[in-house]
Amino acid sequence: MFNTIQLHDSLRVAEKEKALPRVIAYNRIDGPGSSLDLNEFQQAFWKLPDMPDKDDPASKWSQNLPRTVGITIDTGTKIEAHPFDPDLIGVRSVEYDTQVIAHPGEVVPVKENWLLKIMEIFDLSGVMFVLNNLREGIHSSGLGGSSTATIGVCILANELAGRPFNEIQLISLASRIEQGLGLSITGTQEQSNVLFGGVTDYVWFPWGRPGHPGTGYGESLRYELVPPEDYGLLEERMAIFHSGHHRQSSEVNLSWMNALLTETGYKLHSQKMNVAYAYREGLRLQKWGHVLESIDKYRKIRTKLCEGYMESSWDLMDRAKIHDSTAFPLGAGGGGGVFLFSPNPESLEELREDLKGIYNEIPFKIRSKGHDIDNCKIIE
C-alpha cells in the first residue's frame, strides 16, 4: 500500500525558491494514419506480423498494420504544481478559467474531474496543478490539446510520486481516463508523442508485442523518420492555419467509428494502413511528392467516411490546390487547425501570401522532445 504523498510543505519551500515543479507537454501534427491509434481501429486491423530478426529501415513487414506518424511542435501546455490546502487537491486552467477541487478519495468520476482523478490515482495531497497553454488562442485546433494536458498531468504526478509507472503505463492511463470518463474519443498517438517526441512513426500493438512479456497495456514500435538536423527541410514545406471555426471532433470520430461497423465503411477504413505507410516512407526518404500524394489519398478516404471532416476547410483546400499544395484538417477535423503541405517551399510561401488577412497562421518549430521536466526532485 502507498501512503498519501503530502506535498504542501515541500511545495511551500519550492515556491519561496521560485522552483516549483513543472512539466511542459508539447502538441503534435498528425497526418495520414491519424485515428488508427484509436483502440477500435488498432484492434480491427491488427494481424500477427511476421517480424524479421533484423529489421530494415523501410519496415516493410509493418505496412499492413495500424500506424500513425507524430510530428512534435513547440506549442503545448505548461503544468505547474503549487502548494494547496493540505487536505485537498485541485486543478486550475488559466486559459479556460476553470477550477476543480476535492478531498483525495472523494473525486467523483465525471469528465469535469478527469485531471483531478489522475492526481487522486497517484495519491497526492496538498497540491494544485495549474495549466497554462504556451500560446494563446489555439485551443480546439486539432493539435491534441486535451490529450497533451492529460498526459502532461500524468507525467508530473508520476514524477512527484517517485515514478511508480513506466512510459507505456502512463500512455495507457492517460488514454483510458480521457475516454473512460467521457471527455473525448482518443487513442494513444498524442500521449505517445508527449512521451517520445520528434518525427516518429508509431506501429501499434494493442495487446503488447508478441514474445515480450509485461506489455499488455498496449505497445508501439517507434522509428525516427526525420533526424533533428533535417527538421528545416520539413518545416519549410509545412504550415498550420486555423479555419476560424470550432471543431466537431467527437461527432466526426463517432461517424468514423460507426462506419467501421458497416461493410462499405470497413473496406474504406482498411485502405488507410497502406496510405499511412506511404506517408511514413515519403517522410523518411524525403520524397516530398509522395508525402503530398499520401495526404491527398488519406483525406479523400476520411471525407468519404464523413463529409463533416472537411467542414470549414474546403476554401483552404481550394486555395492550396492553386499553389501546388494540399490541406489536411488536423485531429478529427470539422474545423480548427489545418495542416498545409507543399513539396515546393516557394509554392507554400505563395499560399501563405494568399491566406494573409483571411486565416490566422499558427507558427511552429519541430521539436525532438515531447516534454520537459523541471524541479521535480522535491520529495527525494
Side-chain angles (χ1 to χ4, degrees):
M1 292 290 292
F2 289 100
N3 294 320
T4 297
I5 300 168
Q6 178 54 252
L7 294 171
H8 174 270
D9 292 345
S10 54
L11 287 174
R12 282 290 186 202
V13 173
E15 187 175 48
K16 289 179 182 178
E17 296 176 351
K18 297 183 179 180
L20 289 170
R22 71 174 188 180
V23 165
I24 299 177
Y26 295 99
N27 294 146
R28 60 89 185 99
I29 299 172
D30 64 13
S34 55
S35 78
L36 291 178
D37 66 315
L38 296 176
N39 187 53
E40 291 80 0
F41 290 91
Q42 287 191 41
Q43 295 184 16
F45 295 114
W46 196 87
K47 295 179 182 178
L48 190 67
D50 183 14
M51 297 173 62
D53 292 333
K54 291 186 178 180
D55 194 18
D56 66 298
S59 299
K60 290 181 180 178
W61 61 269
S62 69
Q63 67 185 82
N64 292 315
L65 292 180
R67 64 157 21 84
T68 56
V69 173
I71 301 175
T72 306
I73 59 174
D74 59 350
T75 66
T77 302
K78 179 177 73 173
I79 305 120
E80 199 168 55
H82 288 248
F84 196 44
D85 186 306
D87 297 323
L88 297 171
I89 50 176
V91 178
R92 179 164 66 89
S93 169
V94 173
E95 185 163 22
Y96 287 93
D97 192 26
T98 59
Q99 179 172 297
V100 289
I101 61 174
H103 291 278
E106 298 179 6
V107 179
V108 178
V110 294
K111 66 180 181 180
E112 293 80 11
N113 288 342
W114 97 99
L115 296 177
L116 205 60
K117 198 67 184 174
I118 292 169
M119 297 173 69
E120 184 184 61
I121 287 169
F122 285 91
D123 211 6
L124 305 180
S125 190
V127 57
M128 166 81 76
F129 280 10
V130 178
L131 282 68
N132 201 351
N133 280 4
L134 299 182
R135 200 168 298 165
E136 292 183 3
I138 63 168
H139 54 273
S140 299
S141 295
L143 297 170
S146 63
S147 295
T148 298
T150 305
I151 189 65
V153 166
C154 285
I155 293 170
L156 182 55
N158 195 51
E159 290 290 320
L160 296 176
R163 299 185 183 177
F165 286 165
N166 64 29
E167 292 169 331
I168 300 304
Q169 288 174 310
L170 290 177
I171 290 168
S172 176
L173 170 59
S175 177
R176 293 184 185 192
I177 284 288
E178 190 173 347
Q179 181 151 327
L181 295 189
L183 183 75
S184 66
I185 297 172
T186 187
T188 49
Q189 181 199 163
E190 295 95 336
Q191 299 86 349
S192 296
N193 172 77
V194 173
L195 261 299
F196 302 113
V199 183
T200 304
D201 173 41
Y202 298 93
V203 183
W204 303 113
F205 290 77
W207 305 284
R209 284 187 288 159
H212 289 254
T215 56
Y217 287 92
E219 176 66 281
S220 64
L221 285 183
R222 298 172 294 278
Y223 301 89
E224 181 184 60
L225 300 181
V226 179
E229 59 267 25
D230 288 343
Y231 285 172
L233 295 174
L234 190 52
E235 288 169 349
E236 66 184 3
R237 291 169 168 84
M238 299 168 56
I240 303 173
F241 278 79
H242 200 286
S243 68
H245 296 268
H246 292 294
R247 298 169 63 240
Q248 302 296 325
S249 59
S250 295
E251 290 88 339
V252 175
N253 270 329
L254 189 58
S255 294
W256 285 335
M257 291 173 67
N258 289 337
L260 186 66
L261 306 180
T262 69
E263 185 174 348
T264 300
Y266 186 89
K267 286 180 179 178
L268 277 170
H269 278 303
S270 67
Q271 298 173 23
K272 289 181 173 180
M273 274 64 69
N274 281 317
V275 180
Y277 179 78
Y279 177 64
R280 175 228 207 250
E281 285 297 276
L283 289 172
R284 184 179 71 87
L285 299 172
Q286 298 180 11
K287 292 185 176 181
W288 308 120
H290 292 185
V291 173
L292 182 142
E293 184 179 335
S294 62
I295 291 171
D296 276 341
K297 286 183 178 179
Y298 204 85
R299 186 194 63 252
K300 288 173 182 176
I301 293 170
R302 287 185 134 196
T303 307
K304 285 180 182 178
L305 288 159
C306 177
E307 287 189 16
Y309 169 64
M310 284 296 292
E311 183 182 335
S312 309
S313 299
W314 289 112
D315 180 58
L316 277 164
M317 182 71 248
D318 292 340
R319 291 173 184 270
K321 284 181 179 178
I322 293 170
H323 297 284
D324 299 318
S325 305
T326 193
F328 189 90
L330 291 167
V338 180
F339 166 32
L340 303 177
F341 181 86
S342 177
N344 186 334
E346 288 78 16
S347 296
L348 187 64
E349 283 306 308
E350 292 172 2
L351 176 58
R352 271 197 173 97
E353 286 299 314
D354 185 21
L355 298 177
K356 273 186 179 178
I358 304 172
Y359 298 99
N360 292 324
E361 184 170 8
I362 301 173
F364 67 88
K365 288 290 184 181
I366 300 173
R367 288 184 49 88
S368 60
K369 290 176 60 181
H371 67 278
D372 292 315
I373 299 172
D374 293 303
N375 307 321
C376 284
K377 298 186 182 299
I378 64 169
I379 63 169
E380 291 186 355

